[in-house]
Amino acid sequence: MKNLIKSLLEEALNNLVENNTLPRDHGAQIHVEKTRQSAHGDLASNIALVLAKAVGKSPREIAGDIVGALPRSSDISRVELAGPGFINFFLSPSARWQQIEKIRAAKATYGTSNTGRGKKVMVEFVSANPTGPLHVGHGRGAAYGDALARVLKAAGYSVHSEYYVNDAGRQMDILALSVWVRYLELCGLEFSFPKECYQGDYIWDIAATLHRQEGGRLQHDLAILIQGLPNDPEARIDRMVEGAKNLLGEADYLLVFDLAKEIMVDLIRQDLNHFRVNYDQWFSERSLVDSGAIKHAIEVLEERGHLYQEGGATWFRSTAFGDEKDRVVLRANGSHTYFAADIAYHLNKVERGFEWLINIWGADHHGYVTRVKSAFQALGGGSDALDVLLVQFAVLYRGGEKVSMSTRSGDFVTLRALCKEVGEDAARFFYALRKPEQHMDFDLDLAKEQSNENPVYYVQYAHARICSVFRQMETKGIEMSDSQIDFSSLVEPEEMNLIDELSRYPEVVAKAAAGHEPHQLAYYLRETATCFHAFYNAHHFLNAEAAVREPRLALIDAVRQVIANGLGLLGVSAPEMM
RNA sequence: GCGCCGGUAGCUCAGUUGGAUAGAGUACUUGGCUACGAACCAAGGGGUCGGGGGUUCGAAUCCCUCCCGGCGCGCCA
């Protein structure tokens, strides 16, 4: 509808340019908006107000010219000039009626478009260290990233989703250490578990698997390991990791390390699976080392003259790209930094042919954004080909108290527990209702208690209600005719509102994709459900006289379709009964 | 100290490429099931859009400044 009016206005402006009423280079963008009040028509444009400055005439005068130059359309019943210079459009009934059959014919494809033109985009999200189960903070990134990927796909992009597995860093060494120490406890050794290690119960589970698999073969005297440790906790850990490596030997250490990693990644994959998040690919950080990709990336930077040596380390001159300081890629001890791996990863993404990279990170990584963008540019990437979207923290409250979240202490609410408490649908919709940059207060008591008050049920209920009507239709032996439906009796305000709401859906999807804001969709669905429930309560379908029955049934059939499509993009189910 | 994000109804939040009288959910008050699902609907009260200044026909939206909250400023990841 909006597009129709836009093209009418465009034609009018062209006409005015032709007869020299408007300058050729006015450069005004045509905006058409849904009006808030019915007195202002259905859709309105402020184009005359925007043009006023450039043309040097009063907005109302320009508006008059535009209205005069507007081509006729059977979809527009009336055009009015209003207020300071708004042009208000009133839609004809037939324009609305057409929308219903358009939706019913398009079915699951209604709302999809080709605005993305098949552009190859990679969405990377969650990518949490596999050192513990996912918590509700990760859930937010998962819900957002997955919904965004689905929305982009609907808008015609060629989308690839990926999870970057940080399986090469120090955190993973600590995980392996923690597992081995628990394993020693299972072997019967007595000592107090180091507080620097991961405390969560899942460490026990991995240790048990290790014990079942290897028996007592990996048992060593722990005393050597915990003797004469330094006071600094970080240094203590590094010393213990070193000790574990020495005692176990390279092969056995790797065995523990890999087992821990495999189990953790599997756990994370399962959690995300249940959350209806499925990746196209899980990409291993260590594969970048093994394939020589890191070496390759550093060579590329070297060739382009972006590196220098200082203090035994190799630095990337990121200040040349606006970073506040230069960053180390190779440490004095020869090992590469996490940053170096990330540079290689981004180079790899480009080499795989992706034209647009979207990274979704937790807000605590925002200090890292400039550095990665710098490296990306240094490697020859376009400045608009990489978007880093930050998801703010979800602060948890339980009983009015803030819940601390720390992987190390094992004190956190897992995504799995959340799903179990409130269900996947409610959890996904709850997340979807908040835009990512908004700091989020997550009241666990409320989320749990709300399970029947959650807005998701409001939307799902609309869908189930409609399905119920069609079930009733069958039991009552009523049939929809195959012939063309006469919509002329569809004139009630609730019906018009509902049709307008449905016809807005494709724009909402396109806007959600363009602005990476899937939350628009969640709000839209709630509003659509409101329009439907209002209609439902005011009018009858099956019990109405024949003339209005069929068009109304067709209308709610269209509503059902739009709600199902929209919920699908958010990873929420559309139940036929509830 | 510097940087990123936020501050909109009692609470949780939409609305920001500048548009007409700032919205929703929730909570509160009142009313609606003898025809298709009351997990619903209808009506009502509730606001210095953090404070102040500026830009203009017009500002929650843009600029400046201050206040409050979250996060970040490693040869960690």
Side-chain angles (χ1 to χ4, degrees), chain A residues 140 144 431-439 517 519 523:
Chain A
R140 189 175 186 186
Y144 175 60
Y431 282 124
L433 275 171
R434 267 131 189 101
K435 57 180 176 185
E437 64 267 32
Q438 177 66 249
H439 299 207
E517 348 180 275
H519 73 276
Y523 282 90

Side-chain angles (χ1 to χ4, degrees), chain A residues 112-153:
Chain A
T112 60
S113 67
N114 190 31
T115 51
R117 297 169 189 279
K119 190 171 183 175
K120 285 191 72 180
V121 48
M122 174 187 300
V123 185
E124 182 219 321
F125 57 106
V126 183
S127 298
N129 281 341
T131 53
L134 297 179
H135 54 65
V136 294
H138 299 126
R140 189 175 186 186
Y144 175 60
D146 183 61
L148 178 59
R150 291 175 195 237
V151 165
L152 286 170
K153 209 169 283 181

